[in-house]
Structures are given as structure tokens and as C-alpha cells.
Amino acid sequence: MEIIPYKPYIDPEFESLIERIYPPRVCIDNETCPDCTLVKVDSANKRGILLEMVQVLTDLDLVISKSYISSDGGWFMDGRSVFHVTDQLNNKISDETLILYIQQALCTNRREGIAKELQARLKRDVRPRHVSVENSALEITGTDRPGLMSEISAVLHELGCHVTAAVAWTHNSRSACILYIEDGLDGGPITNPDRLAHVEEQLQIVVAAHHREGEKRSARLTNPVAGRTHTERRLHQLMYADKDYEQCQGCEKGVGHWKGCIRTHVFIEDCKEKGYSVVNVRCLDRPKLLFDTVCALTDLQYVVFHAAVSSKGSFADQEYFIRHEDGCTLDKESERIKLTKCLIAAVERRVSHGLRLDISTKNRMGLLADITRLFRENGLSVSRSEIGTNEDRAIGSFHVTDASGHEVDAHTIELVRQEIGGSVLVVNESPGKLDNRSRVSLASLLWSHLERISSNFSPIRP
């Protein structure tokens, strides 16, 4: 007779009971610090809440320079989780509408969401620019190789599918991309089951074409669902499932010139008197770093009870006191090794390699196919990309290298610029040529100002 382990029944409404009785409270403090705004959150420590808070601030393009989180007995100690934030120009947050938006987004009665009137007053889309919640989502993972994005977008164009947004990462010879597409014939998601199956089948053929037998790969097309996972979190999940972390190796403690080494360091120790495992991460600072590390910890089912995060110069230091969701610490060496590798992968997946090409032009069917075809024909390989639309314009960025992963020469870039018609801006983000803070501001400023200057660009020639 099979023995079924006992599991107590928990009413689904009970989890939100404390939030309903004591809803989260948010204080926006512009007085305490002279050079940043303090966002203080008093909230019950339920699963995933830290990631939700970081995601709200990150999606608003706010820079988190420091953060202090502490929770014991289910509540943030002293009633506070504190984030030191500025805008992309290192200014305090002074826009009253933005402040109100942050308070509503963090003080969530999440079932109601943000008031539409407030979103309209904010006069900006606060979702990541490459995120779409209305269209079909294509998720692809496999071996990274030059021309893959070009082949995928070409097939989609031939099948009459219009790419409205796309984001792609590469890491450790693996690639993952999410493309949001609509039926080019009718607009909106692809609702016909037969057509949906046909498009997915054709894309699976493309992905499988250059893979050896038994090699991991996937291509999956789905229609919109309520509560769709944040695109960048989903990319982390796809690459984790693809085991891109297996090749990651950290520096041994005391080795690798800890103070000046640009590699990612992860050390895990015990805090036996308090019953925590202590995780220290030191790496180069960059945008969305906190989101990426907290995302990895959350999806690996670890709970953060205390944390201190800060950046100094070009480096960032993060310290997390964690337990597994079942209350256990990391007692096994195999668990520590896996978490170390996963955190290194989470940090490095978003690291930019090669030149950044920012594109803004009138949106049309087949645009992504044409751009990536030009890259392929000129021997360029896409290491990372983010493409989205703003009304009738397509705005995006590609990080490109040559086919061997090395820097692209200026002559090749100029040939591509001429082919595209002058609508490509080149930004050199090579390490050492721009300090981190300059890269943060420059990248975001390009995004915010591309539309303003895009009227001077000529259209991409077919």
C-alpha cells in the first residue's frame, strides 16, 4: 500500500490575509540623503516580494546604488526595506506623479493594479520596452551560432508573422530568445490552432537544422495568458533550464586578486548562530544587477531574510542571508557549487559583448528579418538584443561581434550603416573605454532620445 505523505490544507486566501490586514506601506524620502532618494517599504515577507519590489524599480529605469533588506519573524525588521535610488542622470526622484506611481506599485493590492488615470499622467510605458502582453510569445533555446536570429526572423516573415518585440541573450555557447509576434494578416495573436501549430513546426525545423542529434534545443509558441512572467525573468528561467550555468566557474577565495579582479566572485558561508547561509557576490556593477541576482535566488527557491547591496566605483558588493524555502541552509557542498554557478550565470548573461548598434526607424513587416540579414551577410553575430515598438516606430539595440566573438572593425560597421540607410548609431561599450556609470546613463539616454532624433534617419532599404 502506497503511503501518501501528509500535507496540511492551507486556504489560498490565507496567504494574502496579513496583507489585507496590514497592507504594505511605502515612504519616499528625499530629505535624508543629499544625493539620492530613499524608497522605504514596510511589508510582510511573503515569497517573491523582494523580487517584485526590485522589478518595479528596475522597470522604471531607476538606478539602485544601495539596498538594505532585513526580515525576521515574517516582517522586515524595523518595518523597512530600503533602496537608494536615482534616475539615469543621478538625480533624485522629484516627479510627484512618478513618486505616486512607485507608492501604488509597491503598496500593491495587486489584484486591482495601477490606476489607469495614473498611468496616463505618467506619460510613459513603465514595462520593459521589449515586453508585450497582447501577442503570441515565441520562446527559443539552443546552441548559439551566427545567423540564428536572421533565419528565425526570415521564416516568421515568410509565414506572415510580424515581430512586435524581441529580446535575446547568449551565454556559454547557449542562446535564448523571446519574440512577441502577431498574425500579420489580421493582427493580434495567432488564434487559429492549425496555424499556430504550423508556425511552431517550421521554427522547430530551423532551430534543429544546426544541432547535433541529442543536443538540447526548443522552440515553443504560446498565446497570451494572464499573469505572463516578466520577459527578463523568463529568459533567466529558459537559460537555467538549458543548463547554461554548468560551465561557470568562480574564483577561489583569496585567489584572483579579489579587490581588482573583474570576474564574478561568489562565496557561500554558514552563519550557524542564526541558522542562515551567507552568500557574497562581488562583480562589475551594471544596470539591473540586483534584479538578476534576486531573480536567480527566488527561482532557485531561496528566501532572502537579510541583505546589503552597494556599489563603489565600477564594482558592486552583494551580501544575502538566505535559507531554502523548506527552512534548510546550504549544508551540502553540491548545493553550494550549484548556487555559485547559477549566480555567476545570472550576473554574466546580461553582460554586453561587442559594439552596441541602436536602431530607430519606421516599423513594418519584415524589418527584423532585413536588419539581421544584413548583419549575417556582413559577418556580424548578435550576442544580445532588445527590440520593441513605440507607436509606429521600431526602436531597439543589438550588441554585435564578428563570427568568432571578437570586436567588429570600423569598416564593416560603416558598410552596414550604408546598407541600412544611416539609421544605425554605434556606441562602443567595450570594458575600459567607458566607465560603468557612463555606460548606464548613455544606454538609457539613447533609448529615451532615439525617437526624438529618429526623424533625421532615412528608412531601411528593402
Side-chain angles (χ1 to χ4, degrees):
M1 177 179 177
E2 181 183 2
I3 299 176
I4 301 175
Y6 169 73
K7 292 184 180 180
Y9 172 76
I10 299 177
D11 190 323
E13 290 296 314
F14 181 76
E15 184 179 352
S16 62
L17 177 61
I18 294 180
E19 265 195 68
R20 296 199 302 271
I21 298 174
Y22 303 105
R25 296 183 295 276
V26 177
C27 172
I28 308 296
D29 178 3
N30 271 319
E31 303 298 326
T32 302
C33 291
D35 55 356
C36 68
T37 299
L38 301 186
V39 179
K40 305 174 183 178
V41 185
D42 178 2
S43 173
N45 185 20
K46 71 181 186 67
R47 184 181 186 277
I49 190 170
L50 176 59
L51 178 58
E52 291 177 16
M53 291 189 293
V54 173
Q55 181 177 306
V56 167
L57 299 175
T58 300
D59 286 351
L60 286 167
D61 276 340
L62 300 179
V63 177
I64 303 173
S65 57
K66 292 183 181 179
S67 181
Y68 305 97
I69 297 100
S70 191
S71 65
D72 272 323
W75 284 86
F76 289 122
M77 190 185 339
D78 297 327
R80 295 288 161 81
S81 173
V82 182
F83 301 92
H84 294 230
V85 303
T86 63
D87 64 17
Q88 293 290 336
L89 293 176
N90 298 327
N91 297 318
K92 290 185 177 184
I93 311 305
S94 57
D95 185 334
E96 291 297 330
T97 302
L98 179 56
I99 289 174
L100 183 58
Y101 184 95
I102 293 172
Q103 290 175 322
Q104 283 201 14
L106 294 177
C107 267
T108 48
N109 180 341
R110 293 176 177 82
R111 297 177 182 178
E112 297 178 2
I114 305 298
K116 292 183 179 180
E117 295 80 5
L118 181 57
Q119 294 188 45
R121 283 169 52 197
L122 193 59
K123 296 180 180 179
R124 60 180 291 186
D125 187 353
V126 297
R127 296 176 305 172
R129 298 174 181 87
H130 48 269
V131 171
S132 172
V133 295
E134 297 87 10
N135 299 322
S136 302
L138 171 63
E139 299 179 349
I140 294 177
T141 60
T143 301
D144 181 33
R145 60 178 174 80
L148 178 60
M149 180 69 80
S150 175
E151 293 177 18
I152 292 170
S153 54
V155 169
L156 288 171
H157 181 47
E158 290 175 3
L159 293 170
C161 299
H162 175 47
V163 178
T164 61
V167 57
W169 292 351
T170 60
H171 179 242
N172 278 349
S173 77
R174 308 300 296 173
S175 66
C177 62
I178 299 177
L179 295 91
Y180 294 100
I181 63 177
E182 63 182 13
D183 196 325
L185 302 176
D186 305 313
I190 301 173
T191 55
N192 185 299
D194 293 335
R195 176 162 166 73
L196 195 71
H198 177 66
V199 172
E200 182 175 276
E201 180 184 18
Q202 295 303 306
L203 290 165
Q204 288 173 345
I205 292 173
V206 172
V207 174
H210 296 271
H211 283 72
R212 295 186 292 271
E213 186 175 354
E215 198 169 28
K216 292 180 293 185
R217 63 183 185 273
S218 67
R220 179 170 173 262
L221 186 60
T222 61
N223 272 329
V225 293
R228 176 177 276 170
T229 303
H230 187 279
T231 302
E232 293 173 342
R233 182 179 182 183
R234 184 61 184 150
L235 276 172
H236 278 300
Q237 293 173 348
L238 289 173
M239 299 206 84
Y240 169 77
D242 203 36
K243 297 187 177 180
D244 72 313
Y245 60 86
E246 288 188 338
Q247 299 180 43
C248 291
Q249 296 294 334
C251 295
E252 295 182 12
K253 194 165 187 177
V255 179
H257 307 289
W258 164 269
K259 292 186 178 180
C261 180
I262 63 172
R263 294 177 62 187
T264 302
H265 298 252
V266 177
F267 300 135
I268 302 174
E269 299 175 327
D270 288 325
C271 180
K272 294 183 178 180
E273 64 274 15
K274 296 293 185 180
Y276 297 119
S277 293
V278 185
V279 179
N280 284 278
V281 182
R282 180 176 172 84
C283 59
L284 287 174
D285 193 18
R286 61 163 175 78
K288 301 187 178 182
L289 177 62
L290 182 58
F291 172 85
D292 292 335
T293 51
V294 173
C295 190
L297 290 170
T298 303
D299 284 337
L300 288 168
Q301 299 184 325
Y302 292 103
V303 179
V304 176
F305 289 88
H306 306 275
V309 177
S310 64
S311 59
K312 186 176 181 181
S314 298
F315 291 90
D317 291 290
Q318 303 177 70
E319 183 178 56
Y320 299 97
F321 289 72
I322 67 171
R323 296 187 193 124
H324 198 269
E325 282 187 353
D326 60 11
C328 297
T329 55
L330 284 80
D331 298 323
K332 297 180 180 178
E333 184 63 20
S334 59
E335 292 178 314
R336 297 183 179 214
I337 292 173
K338 181 177 180 179
L339 179 56
T340 296
K341 291 183 176 182
C342 287
L343 285 171
I344 293 173
V347 169
E348 294 181 347
R349 286 172 189 141
R350 203 195 292 266
V351 173
S352 303
H353 300 286
L355 291 178
R356 173 175 172 143
L357 308 181
D358 288 294
I359 297 174
S360 177
T361 189
K362 186 175 178 60
N363 191 24
R364 60 173 173 80
M365 282 278 294
L367 178 63
L368 182 62
D370 287 342
I371 294 172
T372 53
R373 174 180 55 80
L374 287 173
F375 288 165
R376 187 188 72 234
E377 291 175 350
N378 286 276
L380 302 184
S381 179
V382 178
S383 63
R384 188 162 73 89
S385 64
E386 295 182 7
I387 311 297
T389 55
N390 188 345
E391 295 180 350
D392 65 339
R393 301 200 67 78
I395 302 175
S397 63
F398 299 88
H399 288 83
V400 297
T401 65
D402 66 14
S404 300
H406 300 131
E407 291 284 343
V408 184
D409 64 83
H411 177 67
T412 301
I413 293 298
E414 186 56 33
L415 288 177
V416 173
R417 283 173 52 84
Q418 292 175 6
E419 285 290 327
I420 292 179
S423 62
V424 175
L425 298 179
V426 179
V427 180
N428 191 331
E429 293 189 335
S430 297
K433 295 185 180 181
L434 285 175
D435 63 37
N436 180 68
R437 187 63 65 184
S438 297
R439 289 198 299 272
V440 172
S441 299
L442 184 56
S444 297
L445 285 175
L446 277 169
W447 272 101
S448 59
H449 291 295
L450 268 173
E451 185 180 10
R452 182 185 305 171
I453 63 177
S454 61
S455 58
N456 298 322
F457 296 159
S458 57
I460 293 180
R461 294 191 294 269

Coordinates of all heavy atoms in Angstrom, one line a residue, residues 256-305:
G256 N 42.8 35.3 -7.4 CA 42.2 36.1 -8.5 C 42.1 37.6 -8.2 O 41.4 38.3 -8.8
H257 N 43.0 38.1 -7.2 CA 43.0 39.5 -6.9 C 41.6 40.0 -6.7 O 41.1 40.8 -7.4 CB 43.7 40.2 -8.1 CG 45.0 39.7 -8.5 ND1 46.2 39.8 -7.7 CD2 45.4 39.0 -9.6 CE1 47.2 39.2 -8.2 NE2 46.8 38.7 -9.4
W258 N 41.0 39.6 -5.6 CA 39.7 39.9 -5.2 C 39.4 41.4 -5.4 O 38.3 41.8 -5.9 CB 39.4 39.5 -3.8 CG 38.2 40.1 -3.1 CD1 38.2 41.2 -2.4 CD2 36.9 39.5 -3.1 NE1 36.9 41.4 -1.9 CE2 36.1 40.4 -2.4 CE3 36.3 38.4 -3.7 CZ2 34.8 40.2 -2.1 CZ3 35.0 38.2 -3.5 CH2 34.2 39.0 -2.7
K259 N 40.3 42.3 -5.0 CA 40.0 43.7 -5.0 C 39.9 44.3 -6.4 O 39.3 45.3 -6.6 CB 41.0 44.5 -4.1 CG 40.8 44.1 -2.6 CD 41.8 45.0 -1.8 CE 41.6 44.7 -0.3 NZ 42.5 45.5 0.5
G260 N 40.6 43.7 -7.3 CA 40.7 44.3 -8.7 C 40.2 43.4 -9.8 O 40.1 43.8 -10.9
C261 N 39.9 42.2 -9.4 CA 39.5 41.2 -10.5 C 38.2 41.6 -11.0 O 37.2 41.9 -10.3 CB 39.5 39.8 -9.9 SG 39.0 38.5 -11.1
I262 N 38.0 41.5 -12.4 CA 36.8 41.9 -13.0 C 35.9 40.6 -13.2 O 34.8 40.7 -13.7 CB 37.0 42.5 -14.4 CG1 37.7 41.6 -15.3 CG2 37.7 43.8 -14.2 CD1 37.8 42.1 -16.7
R263 N 36.3 39.5 -12.7 CA 35.5 38.3 -12.8 C 34.4 38.3 -11.7 O 34.5 39.1 -10.7 CB 36.3 37.0 -12.6 CG 37.3 36.8 -13.8 CD 38.1 35.6 -13.5 NE 37.3 34.3 -13.4 CZ 37.8 33.2 -13.1 NH1 39.1 33.0 -12.8 NH2 37.1 32.1 -13.0
T264 N 33.4 37.5 -11.8 CA 32.4 37.4 -10.8 C 32.8 36.4 -9.7 O 33.1 35.3 -9.9 CB 31.1 36.9 -11.4 OG1 30.7 37.8 -12.5 CG2 30.0 36.9 -10.4
H265 N 32.8 36.9 -8.5 CA 33.1 36.1 -7.3 C 31.9 35.8 -6.5 O 31.1 36.7 -6.2 CB 34.1 36.9 -6.4 CG 35.4 37.2 -7.0 ND1 36.6 36.6 -6.7 CD2 35.7 38.1 -8.0 CE1 37.6 37.1 -7.4 NE2 37.1 38.1 -8.2
V266 N 31.7 34.6 -6.1 CA 30.6 34.1 -5.3 C 31.2 33.2 -4.2 O 31.8 32.2 -4.5 CB 29.5 33.4 -6.1 CG1 28.4 32.9 -5.1 CG2 28.9 34.2 -7.1
F267 N 31.0 33.6 -2.9 CA 31.4 32.9 -1.8 C 30.2 32.6 -0.9 O 29.4 33.4 -0.6 CB 32.5 33.6 -1.0 CG 33.7 33.9 -1.8 CD1 34.3 35.2 -1.7 CD2 34.3 33.0 -2.6 CE1 35.4 35.5 -2.4 CE2 35.4 33.3 -3.3 CZ 36.0 34.5 -3.2
I268 N 30.1 31.3 -0.4 CA 29.0 30.9 0.4 C 29.5 30.4 1.8 O 30.4 29.5 1.8 CB 28.1 29.8 -0.3 CG1 27.6 30.4 -1.6 CG2 27.0 29.4 0.6 CD1 26.9 29.3 -2.4
E269 N 29.0 30.9 2.9 CA 29.5 30.5 4.2 C 28.3 30.3 5.1 O 27.1 30.6 4.7 CB 30.4 31.6 4.8 CG 31.7 31.9 4.0 CD 32.5 33.0 4.5 OE1 31.9 34.0 5.1 OE2 33.7 33.0 4.4
D270 N 28.6 29.8 6.3 CA 27.5 29.5 7.3 C 27.4 30.6 8.3 O 28.5 31.2 8.7 CB 27.7 28.2 8.0 CG 27.5 27.0 7.1 OD1 26.5 27.1 6.2 OD2 28.2 26.0 7.2
C271 N 26.2 30.9 8.8 CA 26.0 31.7 9.9 C 25.2 30.9 10.9 O 24.0 31.0 11.0 CB 25.3 33.0 9.6 SG 25.0 34.1 10.9
K272 N 26.0 29.9 11.5 CA 25.3 28.9 12.3 C 24.5 29.4 13.5 O 23.5 28.9 13.9 CB 26.3 27.9 12.8 CG 27.0 27.1 11.6 CD 28.0 26.1 12.1 CE 28.6 25.3 11.0 NZ 29.5 24.2 11.4
E273 N 25.0 30.5 14.1 CA 24.3 31.0 15.3 C 22.9 31.5 15.0 O 22.0 31.6 15.8 CB 25.1 32.1 16.0 CG 25.4 33.4 15.2 CD 26.6 33.2 14.3 OE1 27.1 32.1 14.1 OE2 27.1 34.3 13.8
K274 N 22.7 32.0 13.7 CA 21.4 32.5 13.3 C 20.7 31.5 12.3 O 19.5 31.7 12.0 CB 21.6 33.8 12.6 CG 22.1 34.9 13.5 CD 21.1 35.3 14.5 CE 21.6 36.5 15.4 NZ 20.7 36.9 16.4
G275 N 21.3 30.4 11.9 CA 20.7 29.5 11.1 C 20.5 29.9 9.6 O 19.6 29.6 9.0
Y276 N 21.5 30.7 9.1 CA 21.5 31.2 7.7 C 22.7 30.7 7.0 O 23.7 30.3 7.5 CB 21.5 32.7 7.7 CG 20.3 33.4 8.3 CD1 20.5 34.3 9.3 CD2 19.0 33.3 7.8 CE1 19.5 35.0 9.9 CE2 18.0 33.9 8.4 CZ 18.2 34.8 9.4 OH 17.1 35.5 10.0
S277 N 22.5 30.7 5.6 CA 23.7 30.6 4.8 C 23.9 32.0 4.2 O 23.0 32.7 3.9 CB 23.4 29.6 3.6 OG 23.3 28.3 4.0
V278 N 25.2 32.4 4.2 CA 25.6 33.8 3.8 C 26.2 33.7 2.4 O 27.2 33.0 2.2 CB 26.5 34.4 4.8 CG1 26.8 35.9 4.4 CG2 26.0 34.3 6.2
V279 N 25.6 34.4 1.5 CA 26.1 34.4 0.1 C 26.7 35.8 -0.2 O 26.0 36.8 -0.1 CB 25.0 34.1 -0.9 CG1 25.5 34.1 -2.3 CG2 24.4 32.8 -0.6
N280 N 27.9 35.9 -0.6 CA 28.6 37.1 -1.0 C 28.9 37.1 -2.5 O 29.4 36.1 -3.0 CB 29.9 37.3 -0.2 CG 29.6 37.8 1.2 OD1 29.4 39.0 1.4 ND2 29.7 36.8 2.1
V281 N 28.4 38.1 -3.2 CA 28.7 38.3 -4.6 C 29.4 39.6 -4.9 O 29.0 40.6 -4.4 CB 27.4 38.3 -5.4 CG1 27.6 38.4 -6.9 CG2 26.5 37.1 -5.1
R282 N 30.5 39.5 -5.6 CA 31.3 40.7 -6.0 C 31.6 40.6 -7.5 O 32.1 39.6 -8.0 CB 32.6 40.8 -5.2 CG 33.4 42.1 -5.6 CD 34.7 42.2 -4.8 NE 35.5 43.3 -5.3 CZ 35.4 44.6 -5.0 NH1 34.4 45.0 -4.2 NH2 36.2 45.5 -5.4
C283 N 31.2 41.7 -8.2 CA 31.4 41.7 -9.6 C 31.4 43.1 -10.1 O 31.2 44.1 -9.3 CB 30.2 40.9 -10.3 SG 28.6 41.6 -9.9
L284 N 31.5 43.3 -11.4 CA 31.4 44.6 -12.0 C 30.0 45.1 -11.9 O 29.0 44.4 -12.1 CB 31.8 44.6 -13.5 CG 33.3 44.5 -13.8 CD1 33.6 44.3 -15.3 CD2 34.1 45.7 -13.3
D285 N 29.8 46.4 -11.5 CA 28.5 46.9 -11.4 C 27.9 47.2 -12.8 O 28.6 47.4 -13.8 CB 28.5 48.3 -10.6 CG 27.2 48.7 -10.2 OD1 26.2 47.9 -10.2 OD2 27.0 49.9 -9.9
R286 N 26.6 47.1 -12.9 CA 25.9 47.3 -14.2 C 24.4 47.5 -13.9 O 23.9 47.1 -12.9 CB 26.2 46.2 -15.2 CG 25.7 44.9 -14.7 CD 25.6 43.9 -15.8 NE 25.2 42.5 -15.4 CZ 23.9 42.2 -15.0 NH1 23.0 43.1 -15.1 NH2 23.7 41.0 -14.7
P287 N 23.7 48.0 -14.9 CA 22.2 48.1 -14.7 C 21.6 46.8 -14.5 O 22.0 45.8 -15.1 CB 21.8 48.8 -16.0 CG 23.0 49.4 -16.6 CD 24.1 48.6 -16.2
K288 N 20.5 46.7 -13.7 CA 19.7 45.6 -13.4 C 20.4 44.4 -12.8 O 19.9 43.3 -12.8 CB 19.1 45.1 -14.7 CG 18.2 46.1 -15.4 CD 17.4 45.6 -16.6 CE 16.5 46.7 -17.2 NZ 15.8 46.1 -18.4
L289 N 21.6 44.7 -12.2 CA 22.3 43.6 -11.5 C 21.6 43.0 -10.3 O 21.5 41.8 -10.1 CB 23.7 44.2 -11.0 CG 24.6 43.2 -10.2 CD1 25.0 42.0 -11.1 CD2 25.8 43.9 -9.7
L290 N 20.9 43.9 -9.5 CA 20.2 43.4 -8.3 C 19.0 42.6 -8.8 O 18.7 41.5 -8.2 CB 19.7 44.6 -7.5 CG 18.9 44.3 -6.2 CD1 19.7 43.4 -5.3 CD2 18.5 45.6 -5.5
F291 N 18.3 43.0 -9.8 CA 17.2 42.2 -10.3 C 17.7 40.8 -10.7 O 17.0 39.8 -10.4 CB 16.6 42.9 -11.6 CG 15.6 42.1 -12.3 CD1 14.2 42.0 -11.9 CD2 15.9 41.3 -13.4 CE1 13.3 41.3 -12.5 CE2 15.0 40.5 -14.0 CZ 13.7 40.5 -13.6
D292 N 18.8 40.7 -11.4 CA 19.3 39.4 -11.9 C 19.7 38.5 -10.8 O 19.3 37.3 -10.8 CB 20.5 39.6 -12.9 CG 20.1 40.3 -14.1 OD1 18.9 40.2 -14.5 OD2 20.9 41.0 -14.8
T293 N 20.3 39.0 -9.7 CA 20.7 38.1 -8.7 C 19.5 37.7 -7.8 O 19.4 36.5 -7.4 CB 21.8 38.7 -7.8 OG1 21.4 40.0 -7.4 CG2 23.1 38.9 -8.5
V294 N 18.6 38.6 -7.5 CA 17.5 38.3 -6.7 C 16.6 37.3 -7.5 O 15.9 36.4 -6.9 CB 16.7 39.5 -6.3 CG1 15.4 39.2 -5.7 CG2 17.5 40.4 -5.4
C295 N 16.5 37.5 -8.8 CA 15.7 36.6 -9.7 C 16.3 35.2 -9.6 O 15.5 34.2 -9.4 CB 15.8 37.1 -11.1 SG 14.7 36.3 -12.2
A296 N 17.6 35.0 -9.6 CA 18.2 33.7 -9.5 C 17.9 33.0 -8.2 O 17.5 31.9 -8.1 CB 19.7 33.8 -9.7
L297 N 18.0 33.8 -7.1 CA 17.7 33.3 -5.7 C 16.3 32.9 -5.6 O 16.0 31.8 -5.0 CB 18.1 34.3 -4.7 CG 19.6 34.6 -4.5 CD1 19.8 35.8 -3.6 CD2 20.3 33.3 -3.9
T298 N 15.4 33.7 -6.1 CA 14.0 33.4 -6.0 C 13.6 32.2 -6.8 O 12.8 31.3 -6.3 CB 13.1 34.6 -6.5 OG1 13.5 35.8 -5.7 CG2 11.6 34.3 -6.3
D299 N 14.0 32.0 -8.0 CA 13.7 30.9 -8.8 C 14.3 29.6 -8.4 O 13.9 28.5 -8.7 CB 14.0 31.2 -10.3 CG 13.0 32.1 -10.9 OD1 11.8 32.2 -10.4 OD2 13.3 32.8 -11.9
L300 N 15.4 29.7 -7.6 CA 16.0 28.5 -7.0 C 15.4 28.2 -5.7 O 15.9 27.3 -5.0 CB 17.5 28.7 -6.9 CG 18.3 28.7 -8.2 CD1 19.7 29.2 -8.0 CD2 18.3 27.3 -8.8
Q301 N 14.4 29.0 -5.3 CA 13.6 28.7 -4.1 C 14.3 29.0 -2.8 O 14.2 28.3 -1.8 CB 13.0 27.3 -4.1 CG 12.1 27.0 -5.3 CD 11.4 25.6 -5.3 OE1 12.1 24.7 -4.8 NE2 10.2 25.5 -5.7
Y302 N 15.1 30.1 -2.9 CA 15.7 30.5 -1.7 C 15.0 31.8 -1.2 O 14.6 32.6 -2.0 CB 17.2 30.8 -1.9 CG 18.1 29.6 -2.1 CD1 18.5 29.3 -3.4 CD2 18.4 28.7 -1.1 CE1 19.2 28.1 -3.6 CE2 19.1 27.6 -1.3 CZ 19.5 27.3 -2.6 OH 20.3 26.1 -2.8
V303 N 14.9 32.0 0.1 CA 14.3 33.1 0.7 C 15.4 34.0 1.3 O 16.3 33.6 2.1 CB 13.3 32.7 1.9 CG1 12.7 34.0 2.5 CG2 12.2 31.8 1.3
V304 N 15.3 35.3 0.9 CA 16.3 36.3 1.4 C 15.7 36.9 2.7 O 14.7 37.6 2.7 CB 16.6 37.4 0.4 CG1 17.5 38.4 1.0 CG2 17.2 36.8 -0.9
F305 N 16.4 36.7 3.8 CA 16.0 37.3 5.1 C 16.7 38.6 5.4 O 16.1 39.5 6.1 CB 16.2 36.3 6.3 CG 15.3 35.1 6.2 CD1 15.6 34.0 5.5 CD2 14.1 35.1 6.9 CE1 14.7 32.9 5.4 CE2 13.2 34.1 6.8 CZ 13.5 32.9 6.1

